PDB file of all heavy atoms in Angstrom:
ATOM      1  N   TYR L 162       0.139  10.606   1.575  1.00 97.00           N
ATOM      2  CA  TYR L 162       1.078  10.205   2.546  1.00 97.00           C
ATOM      3  C   TYR L 162       1.452   8.689   2.281  1.00 97.00           C
ATOM      4  O   TYR L 162       0.764   7.996   1.693  1.00 97.00           O
ATOM      5  CB  TYR L 162       0.523  10.248   3.952  1.00 97.00           C
ATOM      6  CG  TYR L 162      -0.041  11.548   4.344  1.00 97.00           C
ATOM      7  CD1 TYR L 162      -1.438  11.587   4.830  1.00 97.00           C
ATOM      8  CD2 TYR L 162       0.568  12.705   4.210  1.00 97.00           C
ATOM      9  CE1 TYR L 162      -1.905  12.769   5.184  1.00 97.00           C
ATOM     10  CE2 TYR L 162       0.013  14.005   4.507  1.00 97.00           C
ATOM     11  CZ  TYR L 162      -1.242  13.991   5.052  1.00 97.00           C
ATOM     12  OH  TYR L 162      -1.878  15.254   5.431  1.00 97.00           O
ATOM     13  N   ALA L 163       2.740   8.335   2.774  1.00 97.00           N
ATOM     14  CA  ALA L 163       3.214   6.957   2.488  1.00 97.00           C
ATOM     15  C   ALA L 163       4.302   6.597   3.636  1.00 97.00           C
ATOM     16  O   ALA L 163       4.842   7.504   4.174  1.00 97.00           O
ATOM     17  CB  ALA L 163       3.842   6.857   1.211  1.00 97.00           C
ATOM     18  N   ILE L 164       4.238   5.330   3.946  1.00 97.00           N
ATOM     19  CA  ILE L 164       5.271   4.879   4.764  1.00 97.00           C
ATOM     20  C   ILE L 164       6.522   4.749   3.835  1.00 97.00           C
ATOM     21  O   ILE L 164       6.480   4.398   2.693  1.00 97.00           O
ATOM     22  CB  ILE L 164       4.928   3.351   5.154  1.00 97.00           C
ATOM     23  CG1 ILE L 164       3.705   3.540   6.186  1.00 97.00           C
ATOM     24  CG2 ILE L 164       6.121   2.783   5.944  1.00 97.00           C
ATOM     25  CD1 ILE L 164       3.144   2.140   6.573  1.00 97.00           C
ATOM     26  N   ALA L 165       7.623   5.195   4.345  1.00 96.00           N
ATOM     27  CA  ALA L 165       8.815   5.211   3.554  1.00 96.00           C
ATOM     28  C   ALA L 165       9.399   3.796   3.375  1.00 96.00           C
ATOM     29  O   ALA L 165       9.686   3.093   4.375  1.00 96.00           O
ATOM     30  CB  ALA L 165       9.902   6.194   4.229  1.00 96.00           C
ATOM     31  N   TRP L 166       9.552   3.406   2.246  1.00 96.00           N
ATOM     32  CA  TRP L 166      10.177   2.075   1.724  1.00 96.00           C
ATOM     33  C   TRP L 166      11.381   2.457   0.810  1.00 96.00           C
ATOM     34  O   TRP L 166      11.337   3.528   0.168  1.00 96.00           O
ATOM     35  CB  TRP L 166       9.104   1.350   1.111  1.00 96.00           C
ATOM     36  CG  TRP L 166       8.088   0.708   1.876  1.00 96.00           C
ATOM     37  CD1 TRP L 166       6.808   1.184   2.208  1.00 96.00           C
ATOM     38  CD2 TRP L 166       8.160  -0.577   2.571  1.00 96.00           C
ATOM     39  NE1 TRP L 166       6.106   0.311   2.861  1.00 96.00           N
ATOM     40  CE2 TRP L 166       6.858  -0.797   3.167  1.00 96.00           C
ATOM     41  CE3 TRP L 166       9.040  -1.631   2.762  1.00 96.00           C
ATOM     42  CZ2 TRP L 166       6.594  -1.833   3.896  1.00 96.00           C
ATOM     43  CZ3 TRP L 166       8.717  -2.826   3.431  1.00 96.00           C
ATOM     44  CH2 TRP L 166       7.410  -2.869   3.969  1.00 96.00           C
ATOM     45  N   PRO L 167      12.310   1.575   0.778  1.00 95.00           N
ATOM     46  CA  PRO L 167      13.402   1.825  -0.175  1.00 95.00           C
ATOM     47  C   PRO L 167      12.947   2.157  -1.660  1.00 95.00           C
ATOM     48  O   PRO L 167      13.499   2.924  -2.453  1.00 95.00           O
ATOM     49  CB  PRO L 167      14.223   0.690  -0.189  1.00 95.00           C
ATOM     50  CG  PRO L 167      14.155   0.057   1.221  1.00 95.00           C
ATOM     51  CD  PRO L 167      12.592   0.440   1.529  1.00 95.00           C
ATOM     52  N   HIS L 168      11.771   1.412  -2.128  1.00 95.00           N
ATOM     53  CA  HIS L 168      11.169   1.639  -3.424  1.00 95.00           C
ATOM     54  C   HIS L 168      10.573   3.039  -3.681  1.00 95.00           C
ATOM     55  O   HIS L 168      10.381   3.406  -4.778  1.00 95.00           O
ATOM     56  CB  HIS L 168      10.274   0.450  -3.788  1.00 95.00           C
ATOM     57  CG  HIS L 168       9.040   0.507  -2.990  1.00 95.00           C
ATOM     58  ND1 HIS L 168       8.860  -0.258  -1.928  1.00 95.00           N
ATOM     59  CD2 HIS L 168       7.860   1.091  -3.270  1.00 95.00           C
ATOM     60  CE1 HIS L 168       7.514   0.009  -1.551  1.00 95.00           C
ATOM     61  NE2 HIS L 168       6.886   0.722  -2.374  1.00 95.00           N
ATOM     62  N   ASN L 169      10.257   3.714  -2.608  1.00 95.00           N
ATOM     63  CA  ASN L 169       9.702   5.075  -2.850  1.00 95.00           C
ATOM     64  C   ASN L 169      10.442   6.354  -2.368  1.00 95.00           C
ATOM     65  O   ASN L 169      10.047   7.435  -2.494  1.00 95.00           O
ATOM     66  CB  ASN L 169       8.278   5.237  -2.363  1.00 95.00           C
ATOM     67  CG  ASN L 169       8.183   5.045  -0.811  1.00 95.00           C
ATOM     68  OD1 ASN L 169       9.019   5.038  -0.097  1.00 95.00           O
ATOM     69  ND2 ASN L 169       6.929   4.740  -0.349  1.00 95.00           N
ATOM     70  N   LEU L 170      11.714   5.928  -1.760  1.00 94.00           N
ATOM     71  CA  LEU L 170      12.537   7.085  -1.235  1.00 94.00           C
ATOM     72  C   LEU L 170      12.967   8.123  -2.314  1.00 94.00           C
ATOM     73  O   LEU L 170      13.019   9.245  -2.229  1.00 94.00           O
ATOM     74  CB  LEU L 170      13.665   6.531  -0.484  1.00 94.00           C
ATOM     75  CG  LEU L 170      13.496   5.886   0.858  1.00 94.00           C
ATOM     76  CD1 LEU L 170      14.728   5.366   1.427  1.00 94.00           C
ATOM     77  CD2 LEU L 170      12.730   6.874   1.732  1.00 94.00           C
ATOM     78  N   SER L 171      13.173   7.561  -3.503  1.00 91.00           N
ATOM     79  CA  SER L 171      13.694   8.482  -4.570  1.00 91.00           C
ATOM     80  C   SER L 171      12.514   9.178  -5.192  1.00 91.00           C
ATOM     81  O   SER L 171      12.635  10.133  -5.944  1.00 91.00           O
ATOM     82  CB  SER L 171      14.265   7.528  -5.763  1.00 91.00           C
ATOM     83  OG  SER L 171      13.263   6.771  -6.345  1.00 91.00           O
ATOM     84  N   GLU L 172      11.263   8.901  -4.789  1.00 91.00           N
ATOM     85  CA  GLU L 172      10.060   9.691  -5.272  1.00 91.00           C
ATOM     86  C   GLU L 172       9.538  10.579  -4.160  1.00 91.00           C
ATOM     87  O   GLU L 172       8.301  10.946  -4.125  1.00 91.00           O
ATOM     88  CB  GLU L 172       9.006   8.706  -5.645  1.00 91.00           C
ATOM     89  CG  GLU L 172       9.486   7.671  -6.874  1.00 91.00           C
ATOM     90  CD  GLU L 172       9.226   8.281  -8.117  1.00 91.00           C
ATOM     91  OE1 GLU L 172       8.942   9.496  -8.245  1.00 91.00           O
ATOM     92  OE2 GLU L 172       9.571   7.639  -9.030  1.00 91.00           O
ATOM     93  N   GLU L 173      10.295  10.912  -3.204  1.00 88.00           N
ATOM     94  CA  GLU L 173       9.850  11.565  -1.945  1.00 88.00           C
ATOM     95  C   GLU L 173       8.987  12.833  -2.405  1.00 88.00           C
ATOM     96  O   GLU L 173       8.090  13.171  -1.659  1.00 88.00           O
ATOM     97  CB  GLU L 173      11.020  11.993  -1.138  1.00 88.00           C
ATOM     98  CG  GLU L 173      10.695  12.761   0.139  1.00 88.00           C
ATOM     99  CD  GLU L 173      11.912  13.116   1.007  1.00 88.00           C
ATOM    100  OE1 GLU L 173      13.069  12.848   0.509  1.00 88.00           O
ATOM    101  OE2 GLU L 173      11.609  13.595   2.090  1.00 88.00           O
TER     102      GLU L 173
END
Side-chain angles (χ1 to χ4, degrees):
Y162 307 131
I164 295 173
W166 287 90
H168 68 265
N169 63 16
L170 288 177
S171 65
E172 301 276 6
E173 181 177 10

